[in-house]
Amino acid sequence: MGVNAKSGLAVAVDVGTTTIAVCALDSASGDVIARRGALNPQSEWGPDVLSRIEAIANAPDNLEKMSSALAGAINGLVADIVDPAQVVSVGVAGNTVMGHIFARVSPAPLAKVPYKPVFKEAKILDARDVGLVAGPGAKVYLFPSIGGFVGGDAVAVMLALGFGLKHEVALAIDIGTNSEIMLGGKGACYATSAAAGPAFEAGGISSGMIAAPGAIERVLIADDELNLQVIGNQRPRGICGSGIISAVSAMLGAGVIDGLGRVKDRVELDTNIGNRIKNDVSGNAFTLYRGPGIDIRVTQADIRNLQNAKAAIRAGISMLLAKAELTPKD
């Protein structure tokens, strides 16, 4: 599609703890031109927000390194899909820690009670001041935070869904390493966050990878046969977040795991699907794909990581419902 030469391009960026997503739009029409995603390079300093805060507290120059690494990753994604010189505006949303690091402000106060951010208000920044490559005079709008670890990404979700303006009760969950949980209805809004860990984004998963070509995104087990849906319809290279959720669901349905998440021994299954169960030093594992130089499995540890992440989010939901004096039926 053509781009309005006068208006140029707008870029929306979702800065997640584990992954980054970039979307380019025609700023006049709002039409989406292209999207890209990648791992957040800050994982070099730790898999979650607390480990990155600690890295900055222990070595203050890590703030500049993390910020520069993030800006470089965003620049790379933008350059993959559009001409950066045509970008006239950028919107950035992320959890509170990601927002601070992006703005080159130390998030150290968030490491201790009362988890108070240095700033919560929205910021309008020059793209070049935060290391972004864009057109002359391009500005960056950094979404405001609510407080604690509930940041601009949660604000963006609630704005998009009209929370606080509608009376019907709705629950929104931004599932990630730092998961934001939002409850709206009856003219009020509630939000919290849960340190779910990176399992839902395939971080900390033995064969985990981002949702890119070669990632298993869906697993089906039917009539004693296993079928894989792979992004790009190519040879599997790993499994992404949606894939690990789908795999565990399929394994539960096929009786490969029990109701507590234990991977059964091969002898406990009387079907051929049981032949995919192997035992290693960390417990039983279920093979999804094996090829030259690659063995993609769901291990017992993978399932425990996913259970922990799910439990954290479920606890957050329960707390919000109690605060709002609502029940799941509402």
Side-chain angles (χ1 to χ4, degrees):
M1 69 181 63
V3 175
N4 187 310
K6 293 183 179 179
S7 61
L9 299 172
V11 169
V13 184
D14 178 5
V15 181
T17 309
T18 303
T19 56
I20 306 166
V22 165
C23 178
L25 309 96
D26 184 323
S27 60
S29 66
D31 292 337
V32 174
I33 295 170
R35 297 182 176 90
R36 282 290 188 280
L39 288 173
N40 188 333
Q42 294 173 359
S43 59
E44 177 184 342
W45 290 273
D48 52 51
V49 291
L50 292 177
S51 59
R52 291 181 206 173
I53 294 173
E54 182 179 3
I56 291 170
N58 291 337
D61 63 332
N62 280 334
L63 174 62
E64 175 63 28
K65 292 177 181 178
M66 287 189 206
S67 177
S68 295
L70 175 59
I74 294 171
N75 287 335
L77 290 171
V78 172
D80 280 347
I81 54 179
V82 294
D83 177 5
Q86 294 189 54
V87 175
V88 296
S89 62
V90 181
V92 177
N95 64 57
T96 318
V97 176
M98 294 300 102
H100 278 56
I101 295 175
F102 176 82
R104 306 190 177 197
V105 175
S106 174
L110 284 160
K112 55 187 178 183
V113 177
Y115 309 111
K116 188 176 181 180
V118 176
F119 69 93
K120 293 194 294 184
E121 69 279 2
K123 287 185 176 292
I124 298 178
L125 309 164
D126 287 331
R128 61 185 179 181
D129 288 345
V130 286
L132 297 187
V133 178
K139 298 293 184 181
V140 177
Y141 178 82
L142 179 62
F143 272 73
S145 297
I146 294 174
F149 295 100
V150 184
D153 45 2
V155 173
V157 168
M158 289 191 284
L159 283 172
L161 297 178
F163 274 27
L165 302 176
K166 301 175 182 179
H167 284 277
E168 59 265 27
V169 177
L171 182 73
I173 308 169
D174 181 357
I175 296 178
T177 307
N178 179 70
S179 294
E180 290 84 15
I181 306 162
M182 297 142 275
L183 182 67
K186 300 180 181 178
C189 299
Y190 302 88
T192 190
S193 65
F200 281 120
E201 297 183 271
I205 300 300
S206 58
S207 298
M209 64 176 287
I210 64 170
I216 297 171
E217 63 176 342
R218 191 177 183 191
V219 177
L220 297 172
I221 301 176
D223 299 325
D224 209 20
E225 291 188 1
L226 183 143
N227 292 291
L228 304 176
Q229 183 173 311
V230 183
I231 297 175
N233 295 316
Q234 57 183 255
R235 186 170 76 95
R237 296 191 296 117
I239 186 165
C240 63
S242 57
I244 190 67
I245 296 169
S246 177
V248 172
S249 175
M251 291 165 66
L252 180 63
V256 175
I257 60 177
D258 63 21
L260 296 178
R262 178 183 66 89
V263 181
K264 296 179 180 178
D265 294 326
R266 183 189 304 184
V267 295
E268 294 181 72
L269 278 78
D270 56 5
T271 62
N272 290 331
I273 208 75
N275 294 328
R276 291 179 173 270
I277 299 174
K278 308 295 181 184
N279 184 267
D280 59 27
V281 293
S282 62
N284 290 338
F286 184 75
T287 300
L288 296 177
Y289 176 83
R290 179 175 294 153
I294 191 166
D295 186 6
I296 302 173
R297 304 180 303 164
V298 178
T299 69
Q300 185 66 73
D302 293 338
I303 294 172
R304 296 306 183 211
N305 285 337
L306 190 66
Q307 287 177 302
N308 286 337
K310 180 177 181 293
I313 293 173
R314 184 65 183 85
I317 294 171
S318 296
M319 292 181 68
L320 281 193
L321 289 172
K323 181 74 174 178
E325 298 182 344
L326 295 168
T327 69
K329 290 183 179 179
D330 293 313

